[in-house]
Amino acid sequence: MRYLVITDIHANLEALEACLADASARGYEQTLVLGDIVGYGPDPDAVVERVKGLRPLAMVRGNHDKIALGMDHAQGFHAIARAAARWTLDTLTPDHRQWLAALPEGPCAVDELVEICHGSPFDEDAYIVDEFEALRAINTAAAPLCLYGHTHFGVAFQLSNGVLEITRLAGGGRTELLLRDGVKYLVNPGAVGQPRDGDPRAAYAIVDTASRRIELVRVAYPLDVTREKVLKAGLPEMLARRLAVGR
Ligand code: ZN
């Protein structure tokens, strides 16, 4: 099976379309969505529609998707995220809000090799930012390969004979990871719609379970179009600026 893995789309339609076009050219069979479909970006309705149309095999909700359950779920958000959440909630159609509100909490088992979550398998909202959290996550994961998002930072952790190894995936055009037997993996493909690793290109992954290979891909997209839409929507200006620098 070849899975297209997308996470942290954040209502960025141009970034999503660029990833889908690139992934279609490479070929994939099923889609896995790791959450934060909306929030920050100017196209929540169009992005929800596009993701629905992909008929993903598995999806989990992100903290920004929980906004569909009400503004109470924006408690931990800083001022800019809160303003964007308010705008997103007011913009979403009732149907799309309902669809987002029904997204399940992770982790979610996909097959005997793969499971998905938004933040971590022990807490959907936790950020894996250091080796301690990564080790806790990799030990909690039920499957050999746990895919996650939330930090908007492409990174792969692997645990082999009690030793944790880290591979940063930032900056490269395309990186491959071969899954070995007896090793546990925790992989974040990076964000589709709001990369924060200094590379403004959209990020996604393809997992091939037959060849046990992960391709980590970066794709350029017309971010000036998205930035223009952010400003036109009246969303905080900083959200337009950060797209250009990937921070
Ligand atoms: Zn996110």
Side-chain angles (χ1 to χ4, degrees):
M1 183 65 75
R2 275 174 73 81
Y3 296 124
L4 163 64
V5 186
I6 47 178
T7 185
D8 299 283
I9 304 163
H10 284 290
N12 185 334
L13 185 63
E14 289 71 33
L16 176 62
E17 291 294 0
C19 289
L20 294 177
D22 192 82
S24 292
R26 286 173 203 275
Y28 67 92
E29 292 154 281
Q30 295 281 2
T31 306
L32 310 177
V33 182
L34 316 189
D36 277 3
I37 294 165
V38 301
Y40 296 134
D43 279 311
D45 284 304
V47 165
V48 166
E49 208 48 54
R50 193 71 169 98
V51 171
K52 272 173 75 177
L54 297 171
R55 298 179 183 280
L57 177 70
M59 288 187 283
V60 290
R61 66 185 184 186
N63 49 320
H64 286 263
D65 302 321
K66 282 196 275 182
I67 203 66
L69 300 164
M71 277 304 284
D72 288 353
H73 291 268
Q75 283 311 326
F77 286 11
H78 54 74
I80 287 173
R82 243 189 119 71
R86 178 81 264 170
W87 181 90
T88 302
L89 192 59
D90 292 343
T91 301
L92 282 167
T93 67
D95 275 5
H96 290 159
R97 211 185 305 165
Q98 223 171 38
W99 183 84
L100 285 165
L103 288 173
E105 180 181 350
C108 167
V110 177
D111 59 26
E112 67 280 357
L113 181 69
V114 184
E115 75 178 34
I116 62 171
C117 61
H118 183 62
S120 87
F122 56 83
D123 176 351
E124 62 175 347
D125 293 334
Y127 288 89
I128 297 173
V129 288
D130 57 28
E131 290 171 49
F132 178 77
E133 295 288 286
L135 197 59
R136 189 176 164 202
I138 217 164
N139 281 324
T140 308
L145 171 61
C146 177
L147 299 164
Y148 74 103
H150 199 35
T151 61
H152 298 207
F153 204 90
V155 62
F157 297 94
Q158 41 192 289
L159 184 67
S160 173
N161 296 320
V163 180
L164 189 73
E165 256 183 77
I166 309 172
T167 312
R168 299 210 181 282
L169 308 171
R174 177 179 170 189
T175 314
E176 281 187 5
L177 203 64
L178 274 171
L179 304 176
R180 289 174 289 139
D181 278 336
V183 181
K184 282 186 90 176
Y185 295 86
L186 178 70
V187 179
N188 185 336
V192 171
Q194 196 197 73
R196 292 181 192 159
D197 61 0
D199 181 347
R201 293 176 301 168
Y204 78 91
I206 287 181
V207 173
D208 190 314
T209 60
S211 61
R212 295 177 69 90
R213 207 165 55 111
I214 307 180
E215 296 170 57
L216 298 132
V217 189
R218 299 304 285 260
V219 196
Y221 72 95
L223 55 89
D224 284 348
V225 175
T226 317
R227 293 178 60 192
E228 204 54 47
K229 286 182 181 176
V230 168
L231 298 175
K232 227 175 143 187
L235 283 158
E237 193 248 333
M238 182 267 197
L239 294 173
R241 239 182 306 135
R242 72 186 305 175
L243 290 178
V245 289
R247 292 274 181 216

